[in-house]
Amino acid sequence: MDQSGATEWSVFTDPDVGLLVRFPLRTPTGALVDRAFDPVPAWRLHLASDDGAVYVEAMLLRDLTPRVEYLRHLPYLLERFSPDAVSRPTATRSARTRSAGLPRRRTAGAPH
């Protein structure tokens, strides 16, 4: 999203997880961006706007492999968004794991 279209931006950061997300408080159409954060039982950040311009979901999976979580969550995603809107999991690495030289892998399978 082009930052010039929004007047106010917010930052969510969690150094323990190694995440920093900058997001608009409103989309260019004026829709509010809702932020939900649940650190327990599973770390989860969810950002969404009613107009669909913003949708971000980040999760930290403890004692559960990303593939198992993806397969468990896939039926809900397909029903909620449609098969064409859900991507296959892809490996990602946070800046923290790169800088520490750790081989940790995370996957993301989210609506796009």
Side-chain angles (χ1 to χ4, degrees), residues 4-58:
S4 63
T7 56
E8 291 185 66
W9 288 73
S10 185
V11 173
F12 174 88
T13 185
D14 188 328
D16 293 333
V17 174
L19 180 71
L20 183 142
V21 178
R22 189 167 190 248
F23 62 97
L25 296 177
R26 290 185 179 271
T27 67
T29 64
L32 289 172
V33 175
D34 180 53
R35 184 188 91 173
F37 173 65
D38 300 309
V40 178
W43 189 100
R44 179 176 176 264
L45 171 67
H46 186 261
L47 304 170
S49 62
D50 286 340
D51 64 1
V54 173
Y55 183 89
V56 174
E57 186 170 13

Side-chain angles (χ1 to χ4, degrees), residues 24-106:
L25 296 177
R26 290 185 179 271
T27 67
T29 64
L32 289 172
V33 175
D34 180 53
R35 184 188 91 173
F37 173 65
D38 300 309
V40 178
W43 189 100
R44 179 176 176 264
L45 171 67
H46 186 261
L47 304 170
S49 62
D50 286 340
D51 64 1
V54 173
Y55 183 89
V56 174
E57 186 170 13
M59 294 177 62
L60 177 60
L61 306 172
R62 292 183 171 96
D63 302 323
L64 185 64
T65 67
R67 179 168 170 69
V68 169
E69 169 56 19
Y70 173 76
L71 292 173
R72 185 179 69 93
H73 200 60
L74 184 60
Y76 167 78
L77 295 172
L78 294 174
E79 182 180 326
R80 171 92 162 86
F81 297 103
S82 87
D84 294 334
V86 180
S87 65
R88 291 179 28 195
T90 57
T92 60
R93 293 174 59 183
S94 72
R96 187 179 97 191
T97 53
R98 276 196 306 273
S99 66
L102 300 174
R104 182 185 278 172
R105 292 181 61 176
R106 302 187 187 203

